[in-house]
Amino acid sequence: MEYSKLVEIYEKLAATTKKLEKTEIIANFIKNLDTENLQIVIPLLQGKIFLESEEREIGIADKLIIQSLTKLGFSKQEILDKFKETGDLGLVTEQLVKKKKQIALFKRKLSVEQVFYSIRELAELTGKSSQDKKLDIILELLNSAEPKEARYITRTILEELRLGIAEGILRDSIATAFNVGKEEVEYAYNLKTDFGLVAKIAKEEGKKGLKNVKLEIGYPIKVMLAEKAGSLKEALENAKEPAIEIKYDGMRTLVQKDKDKIWLFTRRLENVTKQFPDLVELCKKNIKSEKVILEGETVGIMNGKPVPFQELSRRIHRKYNIEEMAKKIPIQINFFDCLLVDGKQLLNENFGIRRKKLEGAIKEIKGKFQLAEQIRTKNIKEAEKFYNNALKSGQEGVMVKNLLAPYQPGKRVGYMYKVKPEEETLDLVITGAEWGQGRRANWLASFILSVRDEETGELLEIGKMGTGLTDELFKELTEKLKSLIVIEEENMVHIKPKIVVEVGYQELQKSPNYKSGFALRFPKLIRIREDKGIEEADTLERIKRLYNKK
Ligand code: AMP
């Protein structure tokens, strides 16, 4: 299929902010595609060439795009000027390719396959001469592209499609296109986490196929989410038949075992098996069943006490010195759920039964490889005692779960509630920063925070944060953000939106100074949310709700 056909759809999608219209546009487009094209077009519509579980990133920096544009014959100054003007390298590429086309008329129609597989290839290339090869691939694409095509190719390469196609829109589009229920699409997606595959199932096997989707060892799933309770009392009432567990502050871990093979996934679907060889060993030795899927919270432990999540997070994306870090930050895992045992899926079983299966599935090593501590009571006094003890021992709070509830992948359905003594915090995206002064001259010292507009997919500024950071953290954030710098203007830098931070604040105000229309007074860093992607950052909707609640 010609790429230009997809570009037409991109253009239509860009022209509306309405979810329903976006859904219609996508549904009409995909319903007539054959299976092969469907599985290429769906990721391209999402601007996501790789699944999270593929552990691949395109990883092309703006610099390489700029370099490829200079190879097309434009001066770096002209490119940078245009970039400053538009803030979008996609638009810059479009304008420049348009200019070039007037000189050289070279036509070869691009296909969706070529674009998809060329971009995938960019991520496969490693080693010394890989930069040159990457440049060649980008140039080949841009040379064959019409101006509009060039815009979307560039944005896809940079993983910034900017079309606001959230998961919900894709789910609804697949449902409409293939005449199946949204719930069925969502159910299948939560277990398969691949919309391309789900669309294929919907097309070929319809409702029945979607309903028959099963948990599969070796693949991550969307885990069940917790609701926030206003108080312990409220949580106890809502949970009906409550079990109260410690809320450990660590990394949610989906542990899968098939005979002697172990997989570890995070809640963001990343495969972290390599990063936690110590946990893999523990699982191999101490999980009794042959085939299981368990869930637990992995916590960093030092001197018998949990360390802040920030410490543990240094292990999550590590590529080198893995063993060394494993020694430096030892872990403990606290298992709290069991989704499959001896090959039997337990999603529809109630939590009471799942916990029993969990207890039977592992050999506990206290303090290291254990069940999440749990009590069962409706008595508020007993619950409070448990809660206070949890806090005293350095834990985050408690989870209150309904023993009668099934497991609902990917949903926040009120089967478990979190209770913690915390002020309201926000998860925001860092979209810019300023270099520090004096002692902090080599660090980024002030960070621009943005919220997500769910309708448009845009990130809107809401404040600037410079406090709550230790020197260590300033360094760590600077390191993380340096490679994401898009453009520098004097001491200001624009940052590619990738990093989510949890932020506390004193007050939320209306403000004309920021694009979101709101401003945070005294925002303070609580932690970097390694476990969240920008699509999980807080939305403008939530900000409005919080403001109105004031
Ligand atoms: P939050 O990230 O604040 O929404 O809180 C929910 C998270 O708490 C889950 O995603 C888990 O990572 C974590 N957690 C810690 N202890 C437990 C537990 N006992 N049961 C379920 N989740 C837990």
Side-chain angles (χ1 to χ4, degrees), residues 223-228 244-253 267 295-299 334-337 351 355 372-373 396-399 401 412 416 418 420 422 427 502 527 529 531-532:
V223 292
M224 179 158 80
L225 302 173
E227 273 189 49
K228 191 164 181 195
I244 308 168
E245 291 179 0
I246 290 185
K247 182 177 194 310
Y248 302 93
D249 185 13
M251 172 183 78
R252 186 159 184 171
T253 317
R267 119 173 209 204
E295 263 206 277
E297 189 84 354
T298 305
V299 181
N334 304 281
F335 286 104
F336 56 76
D337 218 320
F351 179 53
R355 169 80 186 198
E373 203 179 318
E396 232 193 327
V398 293
M399 303 293 292
K401 304 181 179 181
R412 216 178 280 285
M416 59 177 188
K418 52 184 166 183
K420 48 184 181 176
E422 208 184 47
D427 291 329
E502 184 176 352
R527 58 174 168 167
R529 297 272 338 212
D531 57 333
K532 280 201 172 179

Side-chain angles (χ1 to χ4, degrees), residues 187 191 205-215 345:
Y187 171 77
L191 294 190
E205 300 167 54
K207 262 181 203 183
K208 213 165 152 210
L210 292 172
K211 278 188 177 159
N212 271 336
V213 162
K214 296 266 179 310
L215 281 172
Q345 191 164 301

Side-chain angles (χ1 to χ4, degrees), residues 116-130:
F116 182 73
Y117 289 111
S118 298
I119 299 179
R120 276 184 83 90
E121 205 185 331
L122 288 174
E124 314 282 335
L125 295 168
T126 51
K128 258 196 189 155
S129 56
S130 65

Side-chain angles (χ1 to χ4, degrees), residues 448-464:
I448 311 271
L449 305 168
S450 296
V451 282
R452 192 162 56 90
D453 182 339
E454 236 179 340
E455 290 281 312
T456 60
E458 245 189 304
L459 292 167
L460 308 172
E461 292 180 1
I462 189 167
K464 227 186 211 185

Side-chain angles (χ1 to χ4, degrees), residues 283-453:
C283 291
K284 278 188 183 165
K285 289 201 184 114
N286 302 296
I287 297 180
K288 293 191 265 181
S289 318
E290 286 231 310
K291 259 192 174 188
V292 282
I293 300 184
L294 307 178
E295 263 206 277
E297 189 84 354
T298 305
V299 181
I301 291 282
M302 278 184 212
N303 307 322
K305 280 230 166 292
V307 298
F309 174 74
Q310 213 55 60
E311 279 295 310
L312 176 73
S313 75
R314 291 164 62 199
R315 291 192 56 182
I316 299 179
H317 297 120
R318 192 154 279 272
K319 293 204 178 97
Y320 312 102
N321 304 335
I322 285 173
E323 295 285 348
E324 197 182 301
M325 277 311 271
K327 286 209 185 89
K328 214 165 159 188
I329 307 168
I331 46 98
Q332 159 193 95
I333 185 160
N334 304 281
F335 286 104
F336 56 76
D337 218 320
C338 177
L339 314 187
L340 182 141
V341 77
D342 294 329
K344 188 173 176 293
Q345 191 164 301
L346 302 175
L347 299 177
N348 293 327
E349 302 290 351
N350 70 41
F351 179 53
I353 293 179
R354 300 202 307 278
R355 169 80 186 198
K356 228 185 170 53
K357 296 275 185 199
L358 174 63
E359 288 166 7
I362 66 166
K363 257 197 323 245
E364 268 195 295
I365 307 173
K366 280 284 174 206
K368 194 78 195 154
F369 194 83
Q370 58 187 8
L371 297 160
E373 203 179 318
Q374 186 189 78
I375 61 163
R376 297 179 183 192
T377 182
K378 287 183 185 165
N379 181 313
I380 182 75
K381 287 259 144 39
E382 280 175 41
E384 270 168 0
K385 196 168 152 210
F386 185 78
Y387 174 66
N388 290 330
N389 282 340
L391 296 183
K392 259 190 228 140
S393 62
Q395 310 293 354
E396 232 193 327
V398 293
M399 303 293 292
V400 179
K401 304 181 179 181
N402 180 359
L403 284 162
L404 303 177
Y407 190 97
Q408 272 278 6
K411 288 217 171 140
R412 216 178 280 285
V413 277
Y415 295 161
M416 59 177 188
Y417 293 89
K418 52 184 166 183
V419 186
K420 48 184 181 176
E422 208 184 47
E423 28 152 359
E424 203 71 70
T425 64
L426 292 169
D427 291 329
L428 301 169
V429 184
I430 298 184
T431 49
E434 247 171 68
W435 290 106
Q437 287 174 341
R439 194 171 69 83
R440 291 179 175 164
N442 292 326
W443 301 341
L444 291 170
S446 164
F447 305 90
I448 311 271
L449 305 168
S450 296
V451 282
R452 192 162 56 90
D453 182 339

Side-chain angles (χ1 to χ4, degrees), residues 73-98:
F74 299 98
S75 77
K76 199 162 173 190
Q77 200 51 50
E78 183 180 3
I79 302 166
L80 288 178
D81 286 348
K82 281 198 187 310
F83 192 12
K84 274 189 192 156
E85 213 177 281
T86 59
D88 175 1
L89 266 181
L91 285 179
V92 176
T93 315
E94 175 178 355
Q95 289 169 8
L96 294 179
V97 167
K98 197 184 235 161

